[in-house]
Amino acid sequence: LFIIGISCGLIYLQKDLVKNINMINFMNDYPVSYIEKVGNSVIAKGRSDRNWVYISSDSKEELEAVKEKLKIDDKCFAIIEDWMIPILTKGSKIKWELSTMRFFVPKDILLPDIKHATSDLKTDDADFIYQNSDYKEYISVEYVKDRIKKGLSSGIHSSGKLAAWCITQDDGAVGFLHVLPEYRKKGYGKSVTLDVIKKIRNEGKLPFAHIEQENENSIKLAKSLGFKEDRSVNWFEIE
């Protein structure tokens, strides 16, 4: 059931690209089963690794109305702003939650040159990437493979071994950034991140990332590349 068409929803969401970039990218790349506009708010439901609920809203009253559109099996929420959480979780228990700050690279930012040789990742790299991830509770090997196939990626090899990597998430965010401990302080993280940012720009899209606020090293790297802080967003699952 489509209360409004996906194309109409995308056109409306693009009026505020930075605010709605996650939702726009997800709707372009994954099956959307439901989308509805409530006043100036939009709710969309779709599936990547989980069945996700996305909501764009600036009004508490409209969000209350949007909540009425939720079904019993709508458990996982993506890119939810802080003020929305008490409304959406009222009467429910949160099973898990991930909170981050969203950063984006404005169009006028000039990017430095990439200092290391990089290459696209292959699906054969998925197991190794998963085993070295700090976020195993949120992802799976299948999800990593899916993102390597559908998204943009960059890796650096040293002596035949994958030493650093970066892949876009299901909403197009720059993510999965990881450098093996023995290869750190060489600038590898900066190079793979830059490579992915440039690939995103080459597609005419806006580069953005989500970083946990206590991750000072990643925030420092992001700011050095021209990322600007936007807002706090959250993923969570209710029981």
Side-chain angles (χ1 to χ4, degrees):
L1 172 65
F2 291 88
I3 306 302
I4 62 173
I6 292 178
S7 59
C8 292
L10 287 171
I11 291 171
Y12 181 79
L13 291 169
Q14 285 168 352
K15 292 179 179 180
D16 191 340
L17 181 62
V18 174
K19 173 182 171 62
N20 298 314
I21 187 64
N22 307 75
M23 199 168 176
I24 291 168
N25 288 346
F26 182 87
M27 289 169 62
N28 274 322
D29 291 342
Y30 288 91
V32 174
S33 58
Y34 175 94
I35 178 170
E36 183 171 358
K37 187 169 176 285
V38 180
N40 291 316
S41 301
V42 177
I43 175 174
K45 304 176 185 180
R47 180 171 183 82
S48 57
D49 58 327
R50 292 179 170 91
N51 291 317
W52 292 106
V53 177
Y54 281 79
I55 300 172
S56 174
S57 180
D58 291 315
S59 164
K60 290 184 178 180
E61 292 75 17
E62 289 180 2
L63 186 61
E64 292 281 4
V66 166
K67 186 178 181 182
E68 296 300 317
K69 308 295 180 181
L70 299 175
K71 305 298 183 182
I72 190 71
D73 56 347
D74 291 328
K75 302 290 188 182
C76 297
F77 294 79
I79 320 299
I80 300 300
E81 295 182 42
D82 293 347
W83 68 269
M84 299 180 179
I85 295 177
I87 296 173
L88 294 174
T89 61
K90 185 177 181 180
S92 302
K93 185 177 180 180
I94 296 178
K95 186 175 181 179
W96 59 261
E97 182 177 3
L98 177 63
S99 300
T100 71
M101 180 61 65
R102 181 165 61 198
F103 294 81
F104 71 99
V105 183
K107 292 183 179 180
D108 60 348
I109 294 294
L110 297 177
L111 299 173
D113 294 331
I114 300 172
K115 295 184 177 180
H116 301 90
T118 60
S119 60
D120 292 342
L121 297 173
K122 299 178 180 179
T123 54
D124 290 346
D125 295 317
D127 285 317
F128 185 74
I129 290 171
Y130 175 78
Q131 292 303 325
N132 285 279
S133 172
D134 296 323
Y135 297 92
K136 292 188 184 70
E137 62 187 298
Y138 304 113
I139 64 172
S140 65
V141 175
E142 290 72 24
Y143 177 67
V144 179
K145 288 181 179 179
D146 182 65
R147 292 316 307 150
I148 292 174
K149 287 179 182 178
K150 295 181 179 178
L152 301 171
S153 67
S154 180
I156 292 176
H157 290 80
S158 180
S159 302
K161 180 180 182 180
L162 184 61
W165 55 87
C166 184
I167 318 170
T168 54
Q169 300 279 8
D170 60 2
D171 56 7
V174 177
F176 285 94
L177 177 61
H178 192 86
V179 181
L180 297 182
E182 62 267 36
Y183 296 104
R184 291 174 185 170
K185 300 188 183 300
K186 297 178 181 293
Y188 285 2
K190 183 175 183 178
S191 288
V192 292
T193 302
L194 268 174
D195 190 28
V196 170
I197 291 173
K198 291 187 176 185
K199 289 174 179 175
I200 293 172
R201 278 190 166 181
N202 287 341
E203 292 191 347
K205 297 180 179 179
L206 180 73
F208 68 100
H210 305 112
I211 306 174
E212 291 178 276
Q213 297 190 43
E214 62 270 22
N215 191 340
E216 296 179 358
N217 289 336
S218 290
I219 291 176
K220 183 179 179 180
L221 171 61
K223 289 184 175 180
S224 74
L225 296 176
F227 279 91
K228 304 298 181 183
E229 186 175 303
D230 177 40
R231 72 194 71 196
S232 176
V233 293
N234 308 269
W235 290 256
F236 60 86
E237 181 179 356
I238 57 176
E239 294 184 349

